[in-house]
Amino acid sequence: GEYFDGNGLPLHGLYVDDQRDITISPSESGLKVELVPQKIVEGVPKFREFYTLSKGSLKVEILMEDTPNVTLPFCFGYHPYLQ
């Protein structure tokens, strides 16, 4: 769902339930999963998530695409729930 503040800026949950394109490929140490949101929100940088699974570890990388000539107050939060 989408949530916005009083100024119309996106808040927590902008991409929380959105579909993502998934690519799975081998990596040097195990398996790499790339997730790309299918939805594009104007004024919000595009991003890709990378998860590398190897024996005993999970590496998380987020790649943000810069939006030229646009000032955007942006924060990225991550709340993993692992068992």
Side-chain angles (χ1 to χ4, degrees):
E2 294 181 24
Y3 305 96
F4 298 90
D5 70 8
N7 297 311
L9 297 173
L11 291 174
H12 184 272
L14 183 63
Y15 289 99
V16 69
D17 294 328
D18 293 330
Q19 294 292 315
R20 287 160 167 72
D21 293 323
I22 301 171
T23 303
I24 300 172
S25 58
S27 73
E28 294 177 11
S29 59
L31 191 66
K32 190 168 193 168
V33 179
E34 177 183 0
L35 303 175
V36 180
Q38 293 176 354
K39 177 174 82 172
I40 295 175
V41 177
E42 189 168 334
V44 175
K46 296 177 187 171
F47 71 95
R48 297 174 6 197
E49 303 166 76
F50 297 93
Y51 300 87
T52 304
L53 306 169
S54 57
K55 188 175 182 179
S57 71
L58 169 65
K59 179 180 178 181
V60 178
E61 299 172 87
I62 307 299
L63 177 64
M64 303 297 297
E65 181 180 313
D66 187 20
T67 306
N69 302 319
V70 175
T71 301
L72 177 67
F74 185 80
C75 178
F76 185 85
Y78 194 78
H79 309 279
Y81 296 94
L82 304 174
Q83 291 184 339

